[in-house]
Amino acid sequence: MEIAKNGPQGKPRIRIKDEFWDRYTELVRKTVIPYQWEALNDRIPDAEPSYAIRNFRIAAGWEQGEFGGMVFQDSDVAKWLEAVGYSLEAHPDPELERTADEVIELIAAAQHENGYLNTYFSIQEPGKQWTNLHEAHELYCAGHMIEAAAAYYEATGKRKLLDVVCKFADYIDTVFGREPGKLRGYDGHQEIELALVKLYKVTREERYLKLAQFFIDERGATPNFLVEECKQRDGYSHWAKRKMPIPSPEQMAYNQAHKPVREQDVAVGHSVRAVYMYTAMADLALLTNDQGLLEACRRLWKNMTRRQMYITGGIGSTHHGEAFSFDYDLPNDTVYAETCASIGLIFFAQRMLQLEEKSEYADVMERALYNNVIGSMSQDGKHYFYVNPLEVWPEASEKNPGRHHVKAVRQKWFGCSCCPPNVARLLSSLNQYIYTASADRNKIYTHLFIGGEAQFELAAGRVAFRQQSRLPREGYVRLELTEVPDDAFSLALRIPSWCYGKAAMKVNGVAVAYDVVHGYATVCRQWEKGDVVEWEPRLEPQIIAANPKIRATAGKVAIERGPLVYCLEEADNGSPLSALSIIPSTKLEAHNDDGLLGGTVVIEAEGRVDEQASWSPDTPYRPFAPSQPKEPVKLRAVPYYLWGNRTPGEMTVWIRACHE
Amino acid sequence: MEIAKNGPQGKPRIRIKDEFWDRYTELVRKTVIPYQWEALNDRIPDAEPSYAIRNFRIAAGWEQGEFGGMVFQDSDVAKWLEAVGYSLEAHPDPELERTADEVIELIAAAQHENGYLNTYFSIQEPGKQWTNLHEAHELYCAGHMIEAAAAYYEATGKRKLLDVVCKFADYIDTVFGREPGKLRGYDGHQEIELALVKLYKVTREERYLKLAQFFIDERGATPNFLVEECKQRDGYSHWAKRKMPIPSPEQMAYNQAHKPVREQDVAVGHSVRAVYMYTAMADLALLTNDQGLLEACRRLWKNMTRRQMYITGGIGSTHHGEAFSFDYDLPNDTVYAETCASIGLIFFAQRMLQLEEKSEYADVMERALYNNVIGSMSQDGKHYFYVNPLEVWPEASEKNPGRHHVKAVRQKWFGCSCCPPNVARLLSSLNQYIYTASADRNKIYTHLFIGGEAQFELAAGRVAFRQQSRLPREGYVRLELTEVPDDAFSLALRIPSWCYGKAAMKVNGVAVAYDVVHGYATVCRQWEKGDVVEWEPRLEPQIIAANPKIRATAGKVAIERGPLVYCLEEADNGSPLSALSIIPSTKLEAHNDDGLLGGTVVIEAEGRVDEQASWSPDTPYRPFAPSQPKEPVKLRAVPYYLWGNRTPGEMTVWIRACHE
């Protein structure tokens, strides 16, 4: 196995330095990673223990005890290590690296002689390995460990964990496959597929790519592996702890295994599983030039983002199975919109951009990132939403069981802590989402406007520049070229959907025309060192309407400004928020409020408030009085990502439109 | 035991003969009762067997086999017999009576020597009697059998079933009580309490009244009986079939046993249990002159009907526990509003009217009856809604699990068939809900405008009259006195809430003034035989608004006409219904459509339909265009009780109000 010391050649080097995002990356580095380390070691007071490190110690034989936590608890350690890897790449930290190395020693000690690695089956059900792929997340945990190893290796050059996961992957390759005696199966929770692609990219070992391809190709084939496996177990369910009826292949839609992936065209089932799978499909489409997979990715992308996505970039309309429901079913109050699902959506968007540079992928990536994802985290980095609602009535969250899953207040790191470590690994690797470059075509795409330094190796030679961005506060981006090749190359800047085509470019202070190619402002020229590109996508607050097929938003509008979706909070607008309506022809006034929520741009709008004084609390219904006065009121909207950081109260993204 | 041959003296004789209601009572008699008989005997093709009659045969030793159905399956036989009793009273039917007598023989044969009667415990868990009051519905089933016996005895004068239940009640009286060695408990599902009051009324045996009082008084006392009983079972749950954590007394709010009933002031928990209990509380308040109970009834009535009741008279906002949630939480789409709960609400209203003649009780009774209750039944009497939604999107009912409980199409008689037999017994005893009479005060109240013949014994002497009513089609009622005493007496006619005080009375063609006492138009005079009272409450279609605290109806209005709530259906108005809005200042036009749904009054209104043509199905969101044309449209509303009798489609009661 021959691997370049610091990752493959030609890998762009991107370092973020950005007014808006530095807060988040620092929060991850200084708070989230250390806090999560405490959580993994069961040292958070009043929080359910994680057991995650302890499980590895028991599996390694360093400690006696029972397995604790969920069957997929190992993945928390992996996600933490992955985030540590990204963080170390940007900010070397010898003490953190030492801690990580110790964890890696522990993981290595828990690995079986044959390469197998999973503390649940090592401790709790030895001998039952690979008997419940449907429920037990074995390959899912393997996938996360592989992702961690790739990230840690790329950051530090240290091979220890990479060797561990290669050995594990090699073992998995002996267990799964089409050859006689091998399991012709796949995991109930997709993740190994995209991880094996990463392992292939780091190691260039074809067999990891082929194994990923095998899992994707087998999924949903007939006879249905998950159904047959369930029969082998006599229907025994890990979660129910008893025998259950054998499910039908159709019921495997929850796991996106109801039909072969190339035949799928509607996003169904558990939304995190779905987007992890789509990500791997896009990876494989690119690496194996698989047109069938590409077509399926395009269809699934379109269905998901155009018919099943909330305006905040959230996906998953129901908490039953944390799942998609069906086209245009986007209830705001019983929503799921899990943080992890939006993170997976960002993964998928990133891979689609590698396949084809179309701005709609980046538009969705930005939407999910600036709204659903960062909105999930509190300003202190220690509290999280798993469910990201668009409408909250705290009393209903508490007293109506159909809304118990919707929390009005971010929760302390959960026992099942999928979302916070996922946020940490995304934010600490955000540099990977900003650009793509085509070395052959000598073209660099800027998808996200996040400041920092960037360096690319094109066919023409090395390009380096510094991006400065005032987003999301202002629509101003500046690129200063610090290194250029002798030959011409292209810069392609995304024309964000929210500027509606209104974006001006200057080069060295002079307005220039640009070509628009798939939503990117493209300029090809012989650049000079020191050239400055200024990019000003118009950033105006905007009233947004939703497709009339989306029943839940009928008669309502939302407010956006640039990448940010806005919301009304009770703290600013009183209660009930449902008594408020907005005049859609209103001039939206955006202004800085440096004192609010760490400083942000608030938007004020003319609205009306329904007359309430004449209603006794004990009059439920009465004749409508046409002359009932509606008082004018100033509505005050704040960015959605900041909601729930004050006194708990009502919140809504969608506001009734009135026409007065 | 001395009981008058044909029920107690002074009982009014009411016989319904009414254009609107005869359809329903005939449907019950000619279709529902025979169909239910087939169901009880497992003879409905493609329907889950009931096992109900078979269970009795097995318990009686006439057949071998296992118990089938729910633990409370016996109550289906009881409810059927009760409906048969009411039906025979109005329409003698020797063949039906013979069938019923045979069933009663069977029931008697299944009774234990000591009086105990319950097929589940007789067959399935002998020796486990009275060990799981919390879950096993033992006294609940007893209560329904008592109600059946009372009804059958009053209809036929036959004592057989009455003797059976008296023997059973006497036995229960030896098991439950405050004396040493007795169980100081009560049932998890209230029902025995109101049944024992009925048994007392028929038999005049004080101990039945005292036993009812005991159950009501013990409920929610400390230590909590249901919790202690659960500890005795080591937490074993009948439903979960395993040990469960011991619940807290607070969790007994589901059974309204979280605190003593006199201290309850908010309707909580399972809504059917709640209203059955409130009914018994009102019964006892009247019979024992218990001011504390009366006050509790008033508080609970007020909370329930003014803050937790749908405009259709439905109660229960969540399917989780078929329960109340909290004040003003009345979601239209995830609603429960179980048919049985509205029937229990009608029971409670009837009892409150016996305590104090205030029209609001009758207003609610009428609202629940004409909307939620009859709306639950299909026009063929063989299909039922258990859940009665105010907003339906059939695709969501099918594909969003949070709405699976909301059906877009009435279902065939279920395995757990609580609602259809409850509808049958209510409709076949509807004559008991129309009037109350105060013999001492020589006053007859007309609460519901349902035609027929009525006869009362007042202190002044016998009064008889014939009511004719054109409701709900027209606001015209006519009473013709056919027998009058020599002395004066009062007629009190309800001024229905929907006429907003506009109701004209004529006597013998001459307009007369009337006193308004607690919402009743009251005239006291020396009446003559042949006097005709005409009563014309104004019946105009009306736009109704809801309290702004009810978030789910913000910005929306409903249409009512007289006692009927209206709704929009997709069959008349297209899809999506959410794209429609109504101009609240519109003139509502009501007209007969004899061809529609068996002939009904439809209401047309001016509305607007959101522009949809410019929306691609793949554009979820876009900037709001203030100039977007809204097309005028004629909205067509039909009575809510008739919804879902055509091609399945969307339905909504609440319509967005627009102001154009």
Side-chain angles (χ1 to χ4, degrees):
Chain A
M1 207 183 305
E2 189 181 354
I3 309 164
K5 176 74 185 74
N6 277 308
Q9 286 299 328
K11 198 189 158 214
R13 291 163 190 276
I14 320 293
R15 180 179 293 275
I16 292 175
K17 187 170 174 359
D18 183 272
E19 173 191 346
F20 184 80
W21 287 101
D22 282 353
R23 270 199 66 245
Y24 284 96
T25 44
E26 287 211 3
L27 195 63
V28 170
R29 188 163 58 85
K30 294 186 176 164
T31 301
V32 180
I33 287 174
Y35 185 78
Q36 190 184 354
W37 177 242
E38 296 304 296
L40 293 174
N41 284 282
D42 308 335
R43 292 192 293 250
I44 306 285
D46 308 326
E48 219 179 302
S50 153
Y51 303 108
I53 290 291
R54 192 169 158 271
N55 289 338
F56 275 99
R57 293 182 58 83
I58 296 166
W62 298 2
E63 197 175 316
Q64 294 289 310
E66 297 270 298
F67 178 87
M70 299 282 191
V71 68
F72 47 78
Q73 210 69 6
D74 289 1
S75 64
D76 277 2
V77 176
K79 285 189 220 167
W80 179 80
L81 268 176
E82 186 185 350
V84 168
Y86 301 136
S87 180
L88 291 176
E89 187 161 1
H91 291 270
D93 177 338
E95 198 189 332
L96 180 59
E97 190 167 331
R98 194 160 45 243
T99 304
D101 286 339
E102 284 169 20
V103 174
I104 290 167
E105 288 297 330
L106 171 60
I107 292 167
Q111 186 169 36
H112 293 203
E113 196 53 51
N114 63 4
Y116 184 79
L117 176 62
N118 181 299
T119 72
Y120 175 80
F121 283 96
S122 300
I123 302 170
Q124 197 79 356
E125 299 207 61
K128 290 281 185 74
Q129 286 92 338
W130 315 125
T131 59
N132 192 348
L133 275 295
H134 184 206
E135 297 179 310
H137 292 68
E138 243 165 326
L139 293 172
Y140 168 88
C141 289
H144 275 300
M145 201 57 82
I146 291 169
E147 285 201 89
Y152 198 74
Y153 167 72
E154 296 218 315
T156 63
K158 291 182 180 170
R159 297 191 53 103
K160 178 94 191 191
L161 190 58
L162 190 63
D163 290 340
V164 165
V165 301
C166 284
K167 188 175 173 190
F168 191 11
D170 292 340
Y171 171 63
I172 291 169
D173 199 29
T174 69
V175 174
F176 290 87
R178 293 193 189 84
E179 299 82 356
K182 287 188 171 183
L183 270 175
R184 204 164 161 168
Y186 42 87
D187 204 78
H189 195 315
Q190 301 91 322
E191 155 65 25
I192 186 80
E193 301 83 357
L194 72 89
L196 285 168
V197 172
K198 284 193 176 179
L199 191 59
Y200 160 73
K201 285 184 177 175
V202 171
T203 64
R204 291 286 151 190
E205 278 290 352
E206 287 278 348
R207 66 173 175 282
Y208 300 142
L209 188 67
K210 287 203 179 327
L211 189 55
Q213 211 172 2
F214 164 80
F215 287 132
I216 286 292
D217 288 347
E218 282 300 314
R219 199 165 198 93
T222 303
N224 190 292
F225 169 75
L226 298 181
V227 173
E228 297 304 312
E229 184 203 61
C230 194
K231 288 179 190 164
Q232 292 289 320
R233 287 194 313 278
D234 242 1
Y236 182 82
S237 160
H238 169 83
W239 297 109
K241 301 289 177 216
R242 64 174 187 275
K243 289 184 186 178
M244 302 286 283
I246 305 294
S248 67
E250 290 70 33
Q251 287 174 288
M252 294 306 167
Y254 171 80
N255 311 79
Q256 295 82 37
H258 54 306
K259 54 169 106 166
V261 302
R262 283 172 186 75
E263 295 171 21
Q264 298 186 22
D265 44 18
V266 175
V268 295
H270 185 260
S271 51
V272 174
R273 285 169 163 82
V275 283
Y276 282 16
M277 178 175 88
Y278 304 158
T279 300
M281 286 164 64
D283 274 336
L284 290 167
L286 179 66
L287 292 169
T288 67
N289 197 20
D290 186 323
Q291 199 63 25
L293 277 181
L294 173 59
E295 289 300 333
C297 286
R298 283 182 180 143
R299 286 195 310 269
L300 291 163
W301 171 271
K302 188 169 166 184
N303 173 265
M304 178 170 58
T305 62
R306 298 189 177 193
R307 299 189 181 191
Q308 299 202 68
M309 188 181 75
Y310 288 93
I311 193 171
T312 52
I315 49 174
S317 298
T318 171
H319 78 108
H320 298 272
E322 307 175 318
F324 293 103
S325 58
F326 66 100
D327 290 2
Y328 311 114
D329 183 42
L330 294 162
N332 296 303
D333 50 359
T334 56
V335 50
Y336 205 69
E338 187 182 347
T339 306
C340 290
S342 285
I343 290 171
L345 176 59
I346 290 170
F347 297 161
F348 183 29
Q350 183 204 34
R351 305 314 201 274
M352 290 308 288
L353 284 170
Q354 291 165 356
L355 277 160
E356 47 190 16
E357 299 94 347
K358 292 183 178 171
S359 63
E360 74 164 287
Y361 300 123
D363 285 333
V364 167
M365 186 160 78
E366 184 184 67
R367 184 178 289 281
L369 179 63
Y370 280 82
N371 298 289
N372 201 86
V373 172
I374 59 172
S376 73
M377 189 165 68
S378 64
Q379 297 290 298
D380 70 1
K382 295 179 181 173
H383 299 80
Y384 291 83
F385 286 127
Y386 289 56
V387 170
N388 296 279
L390 284 82
E391 184 180 321
V392 170
W393 179 12
E395 198 171 2
S397 295
E398 188 193 334
K399 297 179 181 171
N400 185 322
R403 308 224 185 142
H404 281 345
H405 66 287
V406 176
K407 305 297 179 197
V409 176
R410 290 177 183 78
Q411 309 286 297
K412 230 189 214 177
W413 215 289
F414 287 16
C416 165
S417 62
C418 56
C419 297
N422 240 347
V423 173
R425 71 190 184 117
L426 176 73
L427 293 183
S428 57
S429 61
L430 202 55
N431 60 337
Q432 300 178 13
Y433 297 82
I434 303 172
Y435 306 101
T436 56
S438 168
D440 305 342
R441 287 180 290 147
N442 287 311
K443 199 163 178 180
I444 299 165
Y445 287 86
T446 301
H447 305 296
L448 296 179
F449 302 109
I450 296 177
E453 290 173 0
Q455 180 188 305
F456 304 87
E457 308 295 339
L458 302 183
R462 176 172 292 175
V463 176
F465 58 79
R466 195 178 298 120
Q467 181 183 166
Q468 284 175 284
S469 166
R470 297 189 194 142
L471 279 172
R473 202 177 274 265
E474 287 176 52
Y476 181 84
V477 177
R478 185 180 185 274
L479 301 188
E480 184 180 346
L481 290 157
T482 53
E483 192 171 351
V484 295
D486 291 337
D487 290 339
F489 69 93
S490 299
L491 286 177
L493 303 178
R494 179 174 137 255
I495 306 168
S497 60
W498 42 261
C499 79
Y500 302 100
K502 300 225 164 63
M505 191 191 288
K506 287 181 204 161
V507 175
N508 300 326
V510 178
V512 296
Y514 51 78
D515 295 330
V516 177
V517 184
H518 292 318
Y520 290 82
T522 307
V523 174
C524 179
R525 59 191 269 172
Q526 171 65 55
W527 299 90
E528 303 290 334
K529 183 174 173 181
D531 276 354
V532 170
V533 179
E534 291 170 291
W535 178 233
E536 299 186 63
R538 198 177 70 168
L539 190 148
E540 290 285 325
Q542 185 78 46
I543 304 267
I544 303 292
N547 193 306
K549 291 179 188 296
I550 305 174
R551 272 68 167 175
T553 50
K556 295 183 176 182
V557 294
I559 300 172
E560 288 186 349
R561 184 176 177 273
L564 299 180
V565 173
Y566 275 68
C567 67
L568 301 184
E569 285 202 275
E570 185 178 333
D572 300 307
N573 300 282
S575 163
L577 289 179
S578 58
L580 301 174
S581 48
I582 187 170
I583 301 171
S585 58
T586 185
K587 185 173 154 32
L588 299 173
E589 287 170 30
H591 61 84
N592 283 317
D593 186 336
D594 290 333
L596 187 71
L597 298 163
T600 190
V601 175
V602 302
I603 295 176
E604 292 192 327
E606 295 299 324
R608 294 284 181 270
V609 57
D610 293 347
E611 192 278 328
Q612 295 168 72
S614 72
W615 284 89
S616 144
D618 290 319
T619 301
Y621 311 107
R622 72 180 190 198
F624 178 85
S627 58
Q628 257 179 71
K630 279 193 174 189
E631 289 295 316
V633 69
K634 189 74 100 176
L635 303 177
R636 191 177 156 87
V638 297
Y640 173 79
Y641 80 89
L642 290 173
W643 87 272
N645 280 297
R646 293 177 286 175
T647 310
E650 295 177 38
M651 182 277 289
T652 191
V653 167
W654 292 96
I655 311 162
R656 273 197 291 134
C658 64
H659 302 271
E660 283 169 49
Chain B
M1 207 183 303
E2 190 180 356
I3 308 163
K5 177 74 184 73
N6 278 308
Q9 286 300 326
K11 198 187 158 217
R13 292 163 189 276
I14 319 292
R15 180 180 294 272
I16 292 175
K17 186 167 175 2
D18 182 272
E19 172 192 346
F20 183 80
W21 288 100
D22 282 353
R23 270 199 66 245
Y24 285 95
T25 43
E26 286 211 4
L27 195 62
V28 170
R29 188 163 59 86
K30 294 185 176 164
T31 302
V32 182
I33 288 175
Y35 185 78
Q36 191 183 356
W37 177 241
E38 295 304 297
L40 293 174
N41 285 281
D42 310 335
R43 293 191 292 249
I44 307 284
D46 308 326
E48 220 180 303
S50 154
Y51 303 109
I53 290 292
R54 190 168 159 271
N55 288 337
F56 276 99
R57 294 181 58 82
I58 297 165
W62 297 4
E63 197 173 318
Q64 295 288 310
E66 297 271 298
F67 179 87
M70 300 280 191
V71 69
F72 47 77
Q73 211 69 7
D74 288 2
S75 64
D76 277 3
V77 176
K79 285 190 220 166
W80 179 79
L81 267 177
E82 187 185 348
V84 168
Y86 300 138
S87 179
L88 290 177
E89 189 162 358
H91 291 272
D93 176 338
E95 196 188 334
L96 180 60
E97 190 169 330
R98 192 159 48 243
T99 305
D101 287 339
E102 285 169 19
V103 173
I104 290 167
E105 288 297 330
L106 170 61
I107 292 167
Q111 185 169 36
H112 294 204
E113 194 55 48
N114 64 4
Y116 185 80
L117 177 61
N118 181 298
T119 71
Y120 175 79
F121 284 95
S122 300
I123 302 170
Q124 196 81 353
E125 300 207 62
K128 290 281 185 73
Q129 285 93 338
W130 317 124
T131 59
N132 192 349
L133 275 294
H134 184 206
E135 298 179 310
H137 292 68
E138 244 167 322
L139 291 172
Y140 168 88
C141 288
H144 275 300
M145 201 57 81
I146 290 168
E147 286 200 271
Y152 198 74
Y153 167 71
E154 296 218 316
T156 63
K158 292 182 179 170
R159 296 192 53 103
K160 177 97 191 189
L161 189 59
L162 190 64
D163 290 341
V164 165
V165 302
C166 286
K167 189 175 172 190
F168 191 10
D170 292 340
Y171 170 63
I172 291 169
D173 199 29
T174 69
V175 174
F176 290 88
R178 293 191 189 83
E179 298 83 356
K182 287 187 172 183
L183 270 176
R184 203 162 160 170
Y186 41 87
D187 204 77
H189 196 316
Q190 301 92 320
E191 156 64 25
I192 185 81
E193 301 84 354
L194 72 85
L196 285 167
V197 171
K198 284 193 175 177
L199 191 59
Y200 160 74
K201 284 183 176 174
V202 171
T203 64
R204 291 286 150 188
E205 279 289 352
E206 286 278 346
R207 67 175 175 281
Y208 300 142
L209 188 66
K210 286 200 180 327
L211 189 55
Q213 210 172 3
F214 163 81
F215 287 132
I216 286 291
D217 289 347
E218 282 300 315
R219 198 164 198 95
T222 303
N224 190 293
F225 169 76
L226 298 180
V227 173
E228 297 305 311
E229 185 203 58
C230 194
K231 289 180 190 162
Q232 293 287 323
R233 287 194 313 277
D234 243 1
Y236 183 82
S237 160
H238 169 82
W239 297 108
K241 301 288 177 217
R242 64 176 187 272
K243 288 183 185 179
M244 300 285 284
I246 305 294
S248 68
E250 290 70 34
Q251 288 175 286
M252 294 306 167
Y254 172 79
N255 311 79
Q256 296 82 35
H258 55 305
K259 54 168 106 166
V261 301
R262 284 172 186 75
E263 296 170 21
Q264 298 186 23
D265 44 18
V266 175
V268 295
H270 185 260
S271 53
V272 174
R273 285 169 164 81
V275 283
Y276 281 17
M277 178 176 87
Y278 305 158
T279 300
M281 286 164 64
D283 273 337
L284 290 166
L286 178 68
L287 292 170
T288 67
N289 198 18
D290 185 324
Q291 199 63 24
L293 277 182
L294 174 58
E295 289 300 332
C297 286
R298 284 181 180 144
R299 287 195 308 271
L300 290 163
W301 172 269
K302 188 170 165 181
N303 173 266
M304 177 170 58
T305 61
R306 297 190 178 192
R307 299 188 180 192
Q308 299 200 69
M309 188 181 76
Y310 289 92
I311 194 171
T312 51
I315 49 173
S317 298
T318 172
H319 77 109
H320 297 272
E322 307 176 318
F324 293 103
S325 58
F326 66 100
D327 290 2
Y328 310 115
D329 183 42
L330 294 163
N332 296 304
D333 50 359
T334 57
V335 51
Y336 206 70
E338 186 182 347
T339 306
C340 289
S342 285
I343 290 171
L345 175 60
I346 290 171
F347 296 162
F348 183 30
Q350 182 204 36
R351 306 310 203 274
M352 290 308 289
L353 284 170
Q354 290 165 357
L355 276 160
E356 46 190 19
E357 299 93 348
K358 293 183 176 170
S359 62
E360 73 164 288
Y361 301 122
D363 284 334
V364 167
M365 185 160 79
E366 184 185 67
R367 183 179 288 282
L369 179 64
Y370 281 82
N371 298 289
N372 202 88
V373 172
I374 59 172
S376 72
M377 189 163 70
S378 63
Q379 298 290 296
D380 69 2
K382 295 178 181 173
H383 298 80
Y384 291 83
F385 286 127
Y386 289 57
V387 170
N388 296 279
L390 283 82
E391 184 180 320
V392 169
W393 180 11
E395 198 172 2
S397 294
E398 188 193 334
K399 297 180 182 171
N400 186 321
R403 309 221 187 144
H404 280 346
H405 66 286
V406 175
K407 305 297 180 199
V409 176
R410 290 175 183 80
Q411 308 288 297
K412 228 189 213 178
W413 215 289
F414 286 18
C416 166
S417 62
C418 57
C419 297
N422 239 347
V423 172
R425 70 189 184 118
L426 176 73
L427 293 183
S428 57
S429 62
L430 202 54
N431 60 337
Q432 299 177 13
Y433 298 81
I434 303 171
Y435 306 100
T436 58
S438 167
D440 305 343
R441 288 179 290 145
N442 286 312
K443 198 163 178 179
I444 299 165
Y445 288 85
T446 301
H447 304 297
L448 297 178
F449 302 109
I450 296 176
E453 290 173 1
Q455 179 187 307
F456 304 88
E457 307 295 338
L458 302 182
R462 175 173 294 176
V463 175
F465 59 78
R466 194 176 298 119
Q467 181 184 166
Q468 285 174 283
S469 166
R470 294 188 197 146
L471 280 171
R473 202 178 273 265
E474 287 176 52
Y476 180 84
V477 177
R478 183 179 186 276
L479 302 187
E480 183 180 346
L481 290 158
T482 53
E483 191 170 351
V484 295
D486 291 337
D487 290 339
F489 68 93
S490 298
L491 286 177
L493 303 178
R494 180 172 136 257
I495 306 168
S497 60
W498 43 261
C499 78
Y500 302 100
K502 300 225 164 61
M505 191 191 287
K506 287 182 202 159
V507 175
N508 299 327
V510 179
V512 295
Y514 51 78
D515 295 330
V516 177
V517 185
H518 293 315
Y520 289 83
T522 307
V523 175
C524 179
R525 61 191 269 175
Q526 171 64 56
W527 298 92
E528 303 291 334
K529 182 172 172 183
D531 277 353
V532 171
V533 179
E534 290 170 291
W535 178 233
E536 298 185 64
R538 199 178 70 169
L539 189 149
E540 290 285 324
Q542 184 78 46
I543 304 266
I544 303 293
N547 194 306
K549 291 180 188 294
I550 304 173
R551 271 70 167 174
T553 49
K556 297 183 174 180
V557 295
I559 300 172
E560 287 185 351
R561 183 174 178 274
L564 299 181
V565 173
Y566 275 68
C567 67
L568 301 184
E569 286 201 275
E570 186 178 332
D572 300 306
N573 300 280
S575 163
L577 289 179
S578 58
L580 301 174
S581 47
I582 187 170
I583 301 171
S585 58
T586 185
K587 185 171 156 33
L588 298 172
E589 287 168 32
H591 60 83
N592 283 317
D593 186 337
D594 290 333
L596 188 70
L597 297 163
T600 190
V601 175
V602 303
I603 296 177
E604 292 193 326
E606 295 299 323
R608 294 285 181 268
V609 56
D610 294 346
E611 191 279 326
Q612 296 168 71
S614 72
W615 285 89
S616 143
D618 289 319
T619 301
Y621 311 108
R622 72 180 191 198
F624 178 85
S627 58
Q628 257 180 70
K630 280 192 172 188
E631 290 295 317
V633 70
K634 189 73 100 177
L635 304 176
R636 190 177 156 86
V638 297
Y640 173 79
Y641 80 89
L642 289 173
W643 87 272
N645 280 298
R646 292 176 286 174
T647 310
E650 295 179 38
M651 182 278 289
T652 190
V653 167
W654 292 96
I655 310 161
R656 274 197 291 134
C658 64
H659 301 273
E660 283 168 52

